[in-house]
Amino acid sequence: MDFWSRLLAHTPLNSEANRKDAAKDPVRRLRRFEKEYSQLLQTWRNASSLAPDSEDAEIIEVRLQELTNILSDESRRPLPHPCIAFSATKQLYIPVAKIATSSYNEWIIREGVLFFATLIESEEEAFVESDAFASSLTNLLVRITGANSIRLGADTEARVVELAFNITTKIRLEPEILPAWFKSQRNQPQEERNLDKHGQFEGRTQKQDFPLFYLLMDYIHHEGKVGDFARTGLLYIIEAASNSVNLEQWIVESDLSTLMATGLGALYSQLSRKLVIDHPPQDLPPILAFSDYQHPVSTYEIVSSCSPDFQAHLETFLSHLLFWQDVLNHCRSVDVKSTLLEHFQVIFLQQLLYATQPAEVSMRI
């Protein structure tokens, strides 16, 4: 019955085979890509709601996913790559970013992020060098991670930070693309700078200069791969300062050192001040194992050194201390190093670490 219904409807008997054949043909592939894009825009413009359970939201998610799949498949095929070229010439990333940021729908946001990631991974059409592409992607990342955005799931959040990390990797390998992502106020005419200062405070102006930098800063204290991506990406940006006088001066004048020092202090403050040294029962030193040693009793205030919570906090603190060391080792700018060390000494050592030590210990230090 299915055979006859397909025949009467003039539909192909093997649509999957036809789709594969179309993917091999650049002309047919582009035609399909343009059709998917047109349907995406039409659905978005006519959508009354993009709530997660709405039909329009599901259609937009599927259309975005299909566009990304076509681009990903094309990038692995021999040239020509008309869909990637079409995305560049028609600047498809601009409406895609608008759709994602205005949707407040995590699944649409996720597909939008994957769309941008696929364009970057294609390494064609100089996307990362384009001011328009950088502006669209930066706006997308800032909007979906800002204070007024929806709460993203762990997997989507990881993809967002990974995308930001991939950009810093490109900047590290190709320093000439930095101006597309870093817009120093120093490069603007004096009249524009005077206008920008009206009604703004310095921190906001700094973020507008290099939003990607501050996005990574927001995640450096996270655990897992999100924190790893953020810390490594920030490290790459600091390394890039050796190739840009403007970026070097901007980092020195930014609140990077303050945020890093206070962040380290916050992690240190999570460690218990009333700690008793203990050993796991299976790893007792022989001298204790053959004695009448009794494990100390932990309370709400007194924490055992074997406590999983304490070990987790300690590991996080030490990993960020190691991050400080990595930054100082890889940074070739004397000014940036001096600024970091000065803030480390004043904010972390003097104001926090010394203040939490007993008086006699502080005097020795």
Side-chain angles (χ1 to χ4, degrees):
M1 188 68 180
D2 183 60
F3 171 82
W4 293 109
S5 61
R6 284 176 177 270
L7 187 62
L8 292 173
H10 302 287
T11 57
L13 297 178
N14 194 343
S15 58
E16 184 64 27
N18 284 343
R19 174 170 290 200
K20 290 182 178 179
D21 291 339
K24 295 177 183 178
D25 182 1
V27 176
R28 295 173 64 186
R29 184 167 66 236
L30 177 60
R31 191 180 302 127
R32 177 179 162 223
F33 186 79
E34 291 176 339
K35 181 180 179 181
E36 292 287 348
Y37 175 63
S38 176
Q39 291 175 341
L40 168 68
L41 292 183
Q42 183 178 1
T43 304
W44 176 54
R45 288 165 180 162
N46 298 331
S48 57
S49 171
L50 293 182
D53 57 348
S54 70
E55 183 179 355
D56 288 334
E58 185 176 347
I59 293 174
I60 289 176
E61 178 191 346
V62 171
R63 297 299 180 202
L64 281 172
Q65 191 176 66
E66 194 63 29
L67 289 176
T68 302
N69 290 340
I70 295 174
L71 291 173
S72 179
D73 176 73
E74 180 176 83
S75 65
R76 295 190 295 267
R77 294 184 180 277
L79 294 172
H81 293 161
C83 299
I84 296 176
F86 179 79
S87 300
T89 55
K90 299 297 183 180
Q91 297 184 331
L92 265 61
Y93 43 81
I94 294 179
V96 168
K98 289 180 179 179
I99 292 171
T101 54
S102 63
S103 69
Y104 293 94
N105 181 314
E106 180 176 356
W107 306 115
I108 294 177
I109 290 173
R110 175 189 170 91
E111 293 304 326
V113 169
L114 291 175
F115 178 85
F116 273 91
T118 303
L119 291 179
I120 292 176
E121 290 171 4
S122 70
E123 298 186 348
E124 298 180 40
E125 302 297 334
F127 286 107
V128 291
E129 300 175 18
S130 166
D131 287 341
F133 181 85
S135 177
S136 294
L137 179 51
T138 297
N139 182 61
L140 169 64
L141 295 178
V142 170
R143 291 279 298 277
I144 64 178
T145 59
N148 297 324
S149 64
I150 64 171
R151 184 175 181 83
L152 300 177
D155 184 66
T156 304
E157 190 175 56
R159 291 184 181 276
V160 168
V161 181
E162 183 180 7
L163 178 56
F165 163 75
N166 289 339
I167 297 168
T168 64
T169 303
K170 298 288 186 182
I171 293 174
R172 185 193 189 201
L173 298 176
E174 306 171 48
E176 64 274 9
I177 72 173
L178 178 64
W181 303 92
F182 170 57
K183 306 289 186 182
S184 173
Q185 297 290 323
R186 295 173 178 273
N187 295 332
Q188 293 186 4
Q190 185 65 38
E191 295 79 6
E192 291 186 21
R193 278 186 280 171
N194 291 337
L195 288 174
D196 289 343
K197 288 180 181 178
H198 181 68
Q200 294 185 353
F201 55 91
E202 184 178 358
R204 182 179 175 185
T205 303
Q206 292 278 356
K207 287 189 176 183
Q208 290 175 343
D209 290 348
F210 205 172
L212 189 67
F213 178 91
Y214 279 94
L215 184 145
L216 293 171
M217 281 295 302
D218 289 340
Y219 288 97
I220 62 171
H221 299 300
H222 281 55
E223 298 179 0
K225 63 180 182 180
V226 170
D228 291 339
F229 280 135
R231 288 188 290 273
T232 308
L234 194 64
L235 188 63
Y236 288 168
I237 291 177
I238 294 173
E239 282 186 11
S242 61
N243 298 317
S244 171
V245 176
N246 285 337
L247 178 59
E248 178 185 36
Q249 188 62 31
W250 183 87
I251 291 177
V252 170
E253 295 177 356
S254 73
D255 50 3
L256 165 68
S257 302
T258 302
L259 292 174
M260 285 184 60
T262 54
L264 187 67
L267 293 174
Y268 177 78
S269 298
Q270 293 179 357
L271 301 176
S272 175
R273 297 295 175 270
K274 295 183 178 181
L275 182 70
V276 290
I277 305 301
D278 196 8
H279 304 274
Q282 66 276 14
D283 291 329
L284 277 177
I287 193 172
L288 296 180
F290 291 101
S291 68
D292 57 353
Y293 173 77
Q294 294 183 350
H295 294 278
V297 179
S298 298
T299 65
Y300 178 76
E301 293 183 345
I302 302 175
V303 178
S304 168
S305 60
C306 298
S307 164
D309 288 341
F310 173 77
Q311 289 294 327
H313 288 315
L314 180 62
E315 183 179 355
T316 302
F317 170 73
L318 292 178
S319 69
H320 285 78
L321 200 59
L322 181 61
F323 172 61
W324 266 87
Q325 188 65 51
D326 288 340
V327 170
L328 294 173
N329 287 340
H330 289 81
C331 179
R332 287 175 284 180
S333 168
V334 176
D335 290 341
V336 174
K337 279 186 178 181
S338 300
T339 305
L340 285 168
L341 288 172
E342 180 182 352
H343 283 72
F344 181 83
Q345 179 181 0
V346 173
I347 296 177
F348 181 70
L349 292 181
Q350 295 179 359
Q351 296 183 6
L352 180 62
L353 190 61
Y354 293 176
T356 59
Q357 302 300 317
E360 60 274 12
V361 176
S362 298
M363 290 179 64
R364 292 177 194 168
I365 297 177

